[in-house]
mmCIF file of all heavy atoms in Angstrom:
data_model
loop_
_atom_site.group_PDB
_atom_site.id
_atom_site.type_symbol
_atom_site.label_atom_id
_atom_site.label_comp_id
_atom_site.label_asym_id
_atom_site.label_seq_id
_atom_site.Cartn_x
_atom_site.Cartn_y
_atom_site.Cartn_z
ATOM 1 N N ALA C 1 8.783 -19.892 6.691
ATOM 2 C CA ALA C 1 8.951 -19.549 8.102
ATOM 3 C C ALA C 1 10.291 -18.847 8.270
ATOM 4 O O ALA C 1 11.262 -19.149 7.562
ATOM 5 C CB ALA C 1 8.903 -20.811 8.955
ATOM 6 N N ASP C 2 10.366 -17.917 9.217
ATOM 7 C CA ASP C 2 11.559 -17.072 9.311
ATOM 8 C C ASP C 2 12.797 -17.801 9.808
ATOM 9 O O ASP C 2 13.914 -17.285 9.684
ATOM 10 C CB ASP C 2 11.280 -15.839 10.180
ATOM 11 C CG ASP C 2 10.847 -16.193 11.601
ATOM 12 O OD1 ASP C 2 10.904 -17.382 11.986
ATOM 13 O OD2 ASP C 2 10.443 -15.263 12.335
ATOM 14 N N PHE C 3 12.651 -19.009 10.362
ATOM 15 C CA PHE C 3 13.822 -19.763 10.804
ATOM 16 C C PHE C 3 14.433 -20.603 9.684
ATOM 17 O O PHE C 3 15.490 -21.203 9.858
ATOM 18 C CB PHE C 3 13.467 -20.664 11.986
ATOM 19 C CG PHE C 3 12.233 -21.503 11.790
ATOM 20 C CD1 PHE C 3 12.213 -22.564 10.895
ATOM 21 C CD2 PHE C 3 11.077 -21.226 12.514
ATOM 22 C CE1 PHE C 3 11.077 -23.333 10.710
ATOM 23 C CE2 PHE C 3 9.931 -21.992 12.334
ATOM 24 C CZ PHE C 3 9.932 -23.047 11.429
ATOM 25 N N SER C 4 13.797 -20.667 8.533
ATOM 26 C CA SER C 4 14.266 -21.512 7.439
ATOM 27 C C SER C 4 15.617 -21.043 6.915
ATOM 28 O O SER C 4 15.833 -19.845 6.695
ATOM 29 C CB SER C 4 13.251 -21.506 6.296
ATOM 30 O OG SER C 4 12.002 -22.016 6.709
ATOM 31 N N VAL C 5 16.508 -21.989 6.684
ATOM 32 C CA VAL C 5 17.802 -21.648 6.106
ATOM 33 C C VAL C 5 17.604 -21.242 4.653
ATOM 34 O O VAL C 5 16.737 -21.783 3.956
ATOM 35 C CB VAL C 5 18.777 -22.842 6.223
ATOM 36 C CG1 VAL C 5 18.345 -24.012 5.344
ATOM 37 C CG2 VAL C 5 20.201 -22.424 5.908
ATOM 38 N N THR C 6 18.352 -20.261 4.183
ATOM 39 C CA THR C 6 18.251 -19.832 2.792
ATOM 40 C C THR C 6 19.163 -20.692 1.923
ATOM 41 O O THR C 6 20.136 -21.280 2.417
ATOM 42 C CB THR C 6 18.653 -18.360 2.636
ATOM 43 O OG1 THR C 6 20.046 -18.225 2.937
ATOM 44 C CG2 THR C 6 17.833 -17.466 3.566
ATOM 45 N N PRO C 7 18.887 -20.780 0.625
ATOM 46 C CA PRO C 7 19.755 -21.567 -0.253
ATOM 47 C C PRO C 7 21.209 -21.103 -0.212
ATOM 48 O O PRO C 7 22.140 -21.927 -0.181
ATOM 49 C CB PRO C 7 19.133 -21.359 -1.637
ATOM 50 C CG PRO C 7 17.698 -21.046 -1.367
ATOM 51 C CD PRO C 7 17.694 -20.265 -0.099
ATOM 52 N N GLY C 8 21.417 -19.790 -0.212
ATOM 53 C CA GLY C 8 22.776 -19.276 -0.179
ATOM 54 C C GLY C 8 23.506 -19.632 1.098
ATOM 55 O O GLY C 8 24.681 -20.040 1.069
ATOM 56 N N LEU C 9 22.828 -19.464 2.237
ATOM 57 C CA LEU C 9 23.444 -19.816 3.517
ATOM 58 C C LEU C 9 23.763 -21.306 3.585
ATOM 59 O O LEU C 9 24.810 -21.705 4.095
ATOM 60 C CB LEU C 9 22.521 -19.428 4.670
ATOM 61 C CG LEU C 9 22.546 -17.970 5.122
ATOM 62 C CD1 LEU C 9 21.480 -17.740 6.190
ATOM 63 C CD2 LEU C 9 23.920 -17.593 5.661
ATOM 64 N N TRP C 10 22.857 -22.132 3.086
ATOM 65 C CA TRP C 10 23.065 -23.581 3.107
ATOM 66 C C TRP C 10 24.303 -23.950 2.291
ATOM 67 O O TRP C 10 25.141 -24.747 2.733
ATOM 68 C CB TRP C 10 21.824 -24.279 2.589
ATOM 69 C CG TRP C 10 21.872 -25.779 2.526
ATOM 70 C CD1 TRP C 10 21.616 -26.547 1.425
ATOM 71 C CD2 TRP C 10 22.144 -26.704 3.582
ATOM 72 N NE1 TRP C 10 21.716 -27.886 1.727
ATOM 73 C CE2 TRP C 10 22.039 -28.012 3.050
ATOM 74 C CE3 TRP C 10 22.471 -26.558 4.929
ATOM 75 C CZ2 TRP C 10 22.255 -29.157 3.806
ATOM 76 C CZ3 TRP C 10 22.693 -27.701 5.697
ATOM 77 C CH2 TRP C 10 22.588 -28.985 5.137
ATOM 78 N N GLY C 11 24.443 -23.367 1.120
ATOM 79 C CA GLY C 11 25.612 -23.645 0.302
ATOM 80 C C GLY C 11 26.898 -23.172 0.957
ATOM 81 O O GLY C 11 27.902 -23.896 0.980
ATOM 82 N N ASP C 12 26.874 -21.949 1.497
ATOM 83 C CA ASP C 12 28.059 -21.421 2.181
ATOM 84 C C ASP C 12 28.437 -22.304 3.367
ATOM 85 O O ASP C 12 29.624 -22.592 3.596
ATOM 86 C CB ASP C 12 27.791 -19.998 2.674
ATOM 87 C CG ASP C 12 27.669 -18.991 1.541
ATOM 88 O OD1 ASP C 12 28.043 -19.336 0.395
ATOM 89 O OD2 ASP C 12 27.193 -17.867 1.803
ATOM 90 N N PHE C 13 27.442 -22.697 4.140
ATOM 91 C CA PHE C 13 27.670 -23.539 5.315
ATOM 92 C C PHE C 13 28.329 -24.861 4.923
ATOM 93 O O PHE C 13 29.346 -25.264 5.500
ATOM 94 C CB PHE C 13 26.333 -23.786 6.017
ATOM 95 C CG PHE C 13 26.398 -24.777 7.137
ATOM 96 C CD1 PHE C 13 26.715 -24.381 8.428
ATOM 97 C CD2 PHE C 13 26.117 -26.126 6.914
ATOM 98 C CE1 PHE C 13 26.776 -25.297 9.463
ATOM 99 C CE2 PHE C 13 26.180 -27.048 7.942
ATOM 100 C CZ PHE C 13 26.505 -26.632 9.222
ATOM 101 N N LEU C 14 27.756 -25.539 3.930
ATOM 102 C CA LEU C 14 28.292 -26.835 3.527
ATOM 103 C C LEU C 14 29.717 -26.716 2.997
ATOM 104 O O LEU C 14 30.590 -27.539 3.331
ATOM 105 C CB LEU C 14 27.394 -27.473 2.467
ATOM 106 C CG LEU C 14 26.024 -27.971 2.929
ATOM 107 C CD1 LEU C 14 25.243 -28.529 1.749
ATOM 108 C CD2 LEU C 14 26.160 -29.031 4.016
ATOM 109 N N CYS C 15 29.970 -25.711 2.203
ATOM 110 C CA CYS C 15 31.313 -25.550 1.631
ATOM 111 C C CYS C 15 32.346 -25.281 2.712
ATOM 112 O O CYS C 15 33.459 -25.828 2.676
ATOM 113 C CB CYS C 15 31.315 -24.426 0.599
ATOM 114 S SG CYS C 15 30.412 -24.820 -0.919
ATOM 115 N N ARG C 16 31.994 -24.449 3.665
ATOM 116 C CA ARG C 16 32.954 -24.125 4.724
ATOM 117 C C ARG C 16 33.227 -25.335 5.612
ATOM 118 O O ARG C 16 34.389 -25.640 5.931
ATOM 119 C CB ARG C 16 32.448 -22.948 5.562
ATOM 120 C CG ARG C 16 33.386 -22.553 6.698
ATOM 121 C CD ARG C 16 34.780 -22.245 6.187
ATOM 122 N NE ARG C 16 35.717 -22.012 7.287
ATOM 123 C CZ ARG C 16 37.039 -22.028 7.146
ATOM 124 N NH1 ARG C 16 37.580 -22.269 5.957
ATOM 125 N NH2 ARG C 16 37.812 -21.807 8.191
ATOM 126 N N VAL C 17 32.182 -26.032 6.030
ATOM 127 C CA VAL C 17 32.386 -27.218 6.866
ATOM 128 C C VAL C 17 33.147 -28.285 6.085
ATOM 129 O O VAL C 17 34.041 -28.955 6.621
ATOM 130 C CB VAL C 17 31.047 -27.761 7.388
ATOM 131 C CG1 VAL C 17 31.252 -29.080 8.125
ATOM 132 C CG2 VAL C 17 30.381 -26.748 8.325
ATOM 133 N N PHE C 18 32.817 -28.439 4.804
ATOM 134 C CA PHE C 18 33.529 -29.418 3.983
ATOM 135 C C PHE C 18 35.014 -29.094 3.910
ATOM 136 O O PHE C 18 35.862 -30.002 4.015
ATOM 137 C CB PHE C 18 32.937 -29.467 2.577
ATOM 138 C CG PHE C 18 33.617 -30.452 1.675
ATOM 139 C CD1 PHE C 18 33.287 -31.801 1.731
ATOM 140 C CD2 PHE C 18 34.604 -30.038 0.783
ATOM 141 C CE1 PHE C 18 33.933 -32.730 0.906
ATOM 142 C CE2 PHE C 18 35.245 -30.949 -0.039
ATOM 143 C CZ PHE C 18 34.913 -32.295 0.019
ATOM 144 N N ASP C 19 35.367 -27.826 3.738
ATOM 145 C CA ASP C 19 36.773 -27.441 3.681
ATOM 146 C C ASP C 19 37.507 -27.821 4.961
ATOM 147 O O ASP C 19 38.666 -28.263 4.921
ATOM 148 C CB ASP C 19 36.900 -25.942 3.429
ATOM 149 C CG ASP C 19 36.575 -25.556 1.993
ATOM 150 O OD1 ASP C 19 36.504 -26.464 1.132
ATOM 151 O OD2 ASP C 19 36.378 -24.357 1.735
ATOM 152 N N ARG C 20 36.854 -27.636 6.085
ATOM 153 C CA ARG C 20 37.462 -28.033 7.360
ATOM 154 C C ARG C 20 37.640 -29.550 7.413
ATOM 155 O O ARG C 20 38.693 -30.064 7.809
ATOM 156 C CB ARG C 20 36.564 -27.567 8.515
ATOM 157 C CG ARG C 20 36.414 -26.059 8.653
ATOM 158 C CD ARG C 20 37.658 -25.455 9.320
ATOM 159 N NE ARG C 20 37.948 -26.137 10.581
ATOM 160 C CZ ARG C 20 37.348 -25.859 11.748
ATOM 161 N NH1 ARG C 20 36.406 -24.928 11.809
ATOM 162 N NH2 ARG C 20 37.694 -26.495 12.845
ATOM 163 N N TRP C 21 36.612 -30.251 7.029
ATOM 164 C CA TRP C 21 36.597 -31.717 7.122
ATOM 165 C C TRP C 21 37.600 -32.355 6.173
ATOM 166 O O TRP C 21 38.357 -33.247 6.554
ATOM 167 C CB TRP C 21 35.179 -32.207 6.829
ATOM 168 C CG TRP C 21 35.009 -33.687 6.769
ATOM 169 C CD1 TRP C 21 34.883 -34.535 7.843
ATOM 170 C CD2 TRP C 21 34.902 -34.494 5.594
ATOM 171 N NE1 TRP C 21 34.716 -35.824 7.397
ATOM 172 C CE2 TRP C 21 34.720 -35.829 6.019
ATOM 173 C CE3 TRP C 21 34.938 -34.215 4.222
ATOM 174 C CZ2 TRP C 21 34.591 -36.886 5.123
ATOM 175 C CZ3 TRP C 21 34.805 -35.269 3.323
ATOM 176 C CH2 TRP C 21 34.637 -36.584 3.780
ATOM 177 N N VAL C 22 37.642 -31.904 4.925
ATOM 178 C CA VAL C 22 38.453 -32.572 3.904
ATOM 179 C C VAL C 22 39.942 -32.347 4.132
ATOM 180 O O VAL C 22 40.771 -33.115 3.636
ATOM 181 C CB VAL C 22 38.026 -32.115 2.493
ATOM 182 C CG1 VAL C 22 38.628 -30.744 2.128
ATOM 183 C CG2 VAL C 22 38.401 -33.162 1.449
ATOM 184 N N ARG C 23 40.299 -31.331 4.896
ATOM 185 C CA ARG C 23 41.703 -31.050 5.173
ATOM 186 C C ARG C 23 42.243 -31.802 6.380
ATOM 187 O O ARG C 23 43.461 -32.015 6.483
ATOM 188 C CB ARG C 23 41.922 -29.551 5.376
ATOM 189 C CG ARG C 23 41.881 -28.750 4.093
ATOM 190 C CD ARG C 23 41.885 -27.249 4.354
ATOM 191 N NE ARG C 23 42.075 -26.474 3.121
ATOM 192 C CZ ARG C 23 41.117 -26.249 2.229
ATOM 193 N NH1 ARG C 23 39.903 -26.727 2.431
ATOM 194 N NH2 ARG C 23 41.380 -25.549 1.135
ATOM 195 N N ALA C 24 41.368 -32.220 7.289
ATOM 196 C CA ALA C 24 41.892 -32.774 8.538
ATOM 197 C C ALA C 24 41.130 -33.952 9.118
ATOM 198 O O ALA C 24 41.683 -34.680 9.948
ATOM 199 C CB ALA C 24 41.944 -31.660 9.596
ATOM 200 N N ASP C 25 39.877 -34.190 8.698
ATOM 201 C CA ASP C 25 39.031 -35.108 9.466
ATOM 202 C C ASP C 25 38.462 -36.292 8.692
ATOM 203 O O ASP C 25 37.659 -37.059 9.239
ATOM 204 C CB ASP C 25 37.858 -34.323 10.069
ATOM 205 C CG ASP C 25 38.304 -33.332 11.132
ATOM 206 O OD1 ASP C 25 39.383 -33.561 11.723
ATOM 207 O OD2 ASP C 25 37.598 -32.337 11.368
ATOM 208 N N VAL C 26 38.854 -36.490 7.451
ATOM 209 C CA VAL C 26 38.324 -37.607 6.667
ATOM 210 C C VAL C 26 38.782 -38.923 7.298
ATOM 211 O O VAL C 26 39.960 -39.127 7.563
ATOM 212 C CB VAL C 26 38.795 -37.538 5.201
ATOM 213 C CG1 VAL C 26 38.236 -38.720 4.409
ATOM 214 C CG2 VAL C 26 38.385 -36.216 4.569
ATOM 215 N N GLY C 27 37.827 -39.799 7.553
ATOM 216 C CA GLY C 27 38.129 -41.071 8.181
ATOM 217 C C GLY C 27 38.123 -41.035 9.690
ATOM 218 O O GLY C 27 38.221 -42.081 10.345
ATOM 219 N N THR C 28 37.990 -39.829 10.247
ATOM 220 C CA THR C 28 37.950 -39.670 11.712
ATOM 221 C C THR C 28 36.597 -39.146 12.165
ATOM 222 O O THR C 28 36.015 -39.640 13.132
ATOM 223 C CB THR C 28 39.060 -38.715 12.185
ATOM 224 O OG1 THR C 28 40.324 -39.184 11.719
ATOM 225 C CG2 THR C 28 39.082 -38.649 13.711
ATOM 226 N N TYR C 29 36.109 -38.135 11.458
ATOM 227 C CA TYR C 29 34.768 -37.608 11.700
ATOM 228 C C TYR C 29 33.927 -37.896 10.462
ATOM 229 O O TYR C 29 34.395 -37.743 9.328
ATOM 230 C CB TYR C 29 34.809 -36.101 11.983
ATOM 231 C CG TYR C 29 35.413 -35.780 13.325
ATOM 232 C CD1 TYR C 29 36.799 -35.647 13.471
ATOM 233 C CD2 TYR C 29 34.621 -35.621 14.457
ATOM 234 C CE1 TYR C 29 37.374 -35.368 14.701
ATOM 235 C CE2 TYR C 29 35.182 -35.345 15.694
ATOM 236 C CZ TYR C 29 36.561 -35.223 15.812
ATOM 237 O OH TYR C 29 37.114 -34.952 17.033
ATOM 238 N N PHE C 30 32.681 -38.302 10.690
ATOM 239 C CA PHE C 30 31.825 -38.739 9.600
ATOM 240 C C PHE C 30 30.588 -37.844 9.550
ATOM 241 O O PHE C 30 29.771 -37.839 10.476
ATOM 242 C CB PHE C 30 31.436 -40.211 9.789
ATOM 243 C CG PHE C 30 32.633 -41.123 9.804
ATOM 244 C CD1 PHE C 30 33.305 -41.390 10.990
ATOM 245 C CD2 PHE C 30 33.099 -41.689 8.622
ATOM 246 C CE1 PHE C 30 34.424 -42.213 11.010
ATOM 247 C CE2 PHE C 30 34.218 -42.507 8.623
ATOM 248 C CZ PHE C 30 34.880 -42.776 9.819
ATOM 249 N N VAL C 31 30.501 -37.074 8.478
ATOM 250 C CA VAL C 31 29.367 -36.179 8.255
ATOM 251 C C VAL C 31 28.460 -36.854 7.233
ATOM 252 O O VAL C 31 28.876 -37.115 6.098
ATOM 253 C CB VAL C 31 29.837 -34.803 7.751
ATOM 254 C CG1 VAL C 31 28.638 -33.894 7.495
ATOM 255 C CG2 VAL C 31 30.789 -34.164 8.764
ATOM 256 N N GLN C 32 27.243 -37.148 7.627
ATOM 257 C CA GLN C 32 26.364 -37.979 6.812
ATOM 258 C C GLN C 32 26.217 -37.472 5.384
ATOM 259 O O GLN C 32 26.292 -38.245 4.425
ATOM 260 C CB GLN C 32 24.984 -38.083 7.470
ATOM 261 C CG GLN C 32 24.031 -39.024 6.744
ATOM 262 C CD GLN C 32 22.618 -38.934 7.290
ATOM 263 O OE1 GLN C 32 21.990 -37.878 7.268
ATOM 264 N NE2 GLN C 32 22.124 -40.047 7.803
ATOM 265 N N LEU C 33 26.032 -36.179 5.214
ATOM 266 C CA LEU C 33 25.828 -35.641 3.873
ATOM 267 C C LEU C 33 27.071 -35.815 3.006
ATOM 268 O O LEU C 33 26.976 -36.103 1.810
ATOM 269 C CB LEU C 33 25.434 -34.170 3.953
ATOM 270 C CG LEU C 33 25.188 -33.473 2.614
ATOM 271 C CD1 LEU C 33 24.085 -34.168 1.817
ATOM 272 C CD2 LEU C 33 24.838 -32.005 2.819
ATOM 273 N N PHE C 34 28.241 -35.653 3.588
ATOM 274 C CA PHE C 34 29.476 -35.832 2.823
ATOM 275 C C PHE C 34 29.649 -37.304 2.441
ATOM 276 O O PHE C 34 30.032 -37.620 1.310
ATOM 277 C CB PHE C 34 30.677 -35.352 3.621
ATOM 278 C CG PHE C 34 30.618 -33.899 4.028
ATOM 279 C CD1 PHE C 34 31.453 -33.407 5.028
ATOM 280 C CD2 PHE C 34 29.738 -33.015 3.429
ATOM 281 C CE1 PHE C 34 31.414 -32.080 5.405
ATOM 282 C CE2 PHE C 34 29.681 -31.674 3.800
ATOM 283 C CZ PHE C 34 30.518 -31.209 4.801
ATOM 284 N N ASP C 35 29.366 -38.191 3.369
ATOM 285 C CA ASP C 35 29.469 -39.625 3.076
ATOM 286 C C ASP C 35 28.474 -40.040 2.002
ATOM 287 O O ASP C 35 28.795 -40.840 1.117
ATOM 288 C CB ASP C 35 29.228 -40.446 4.348
ATOM 289 C CG ASP C 35 30.361 -40.328 5.357
ATOM 290 O OD1 ASP C 35 31.437 -39.836 4.974
ATOM 291 O OD2 ASP C 35 30.163 -40.721 6.519
ATOM 292 N N ALA C 36 27.251 -39.511 2.086
ATOM 293 C CA ALA C 36 26.220 -39.863 1.103
ATOM 294 C C ALA C 36 26.571 -39.322 -0.280
ATOM 295 O O ALA C 36 26.339 -39.979 -1.300
ATOM 296 C CB ALA C 36 24.862 -39.317 1.550
ATOM 297 N N THR C 37 27.126 -38.115 -0.323
ATOM 298 C CA THR C 37 27.556 -37.545 -1.597
ATOM 299 C C THR C 37 28.649 -38.400 -2.222
ATOM 300 O O THR C 37 28.612 -38.715 -3.428
ATOM 301 C CB THR C 37 28.058 -36.105 -1.393
ATOM 302 O OG1 THR C 37 27.012 -35.306 -0.830
ATOM 303 C CG2 THR C 37 28.505 -35.495 -2.705
ATOM 304 N N LEU C 38 29.616 -38.807 -1.415
ATOM 305 C CA LEU C 38 30.687 -39.669 -1.916
ATOM 306 C C LEU C 38 30.126 -41.001 -2.406
ATOM 307 O O LEU C 38 30.559 -41.524 -3.446
ATOM 308 C CB LEU C 38 31.733 -39.893 -0.827
ATOM 309 C CG LEU C 38 32.898 -40.820 -1.189
ATOM 310 C CD1 LEU C 38 33.653 -40.326 -2.421
ATOM 311 C CD2 LEU C 38 33.843 -40.964 0.005
#
């Protein structure tokens, strides 16, 4: 379906959000996928 996220976009998205989170928000904001990965 044309709304489906592509593998490349998904990876880029996760890496960018993770960079924001790991620099300033660990222990304050909880992103389920990051917590599950840890």
Side-chain angles (χ1 to χ4, degrees):
D2 59 8
F3 49 70
S4 299
V5 68
T6 66
L9 278 175
W10 179 234
D12 291 346
F13 173 88
L14 290 178
C15 290
R16 179 56 186 164
V17 174
F18 180 82
D19 286 346
R20 296 282 307 278
W21 175 80
V22 80
R23 285 171 170 78
D25 293 336
V26 180
T28 305
Y29 289 86
F30 299 88
V31 179
Q32 185 189 60
L33 180 58
F34 301 164
D35 290 346
T37 301
L38 178 58

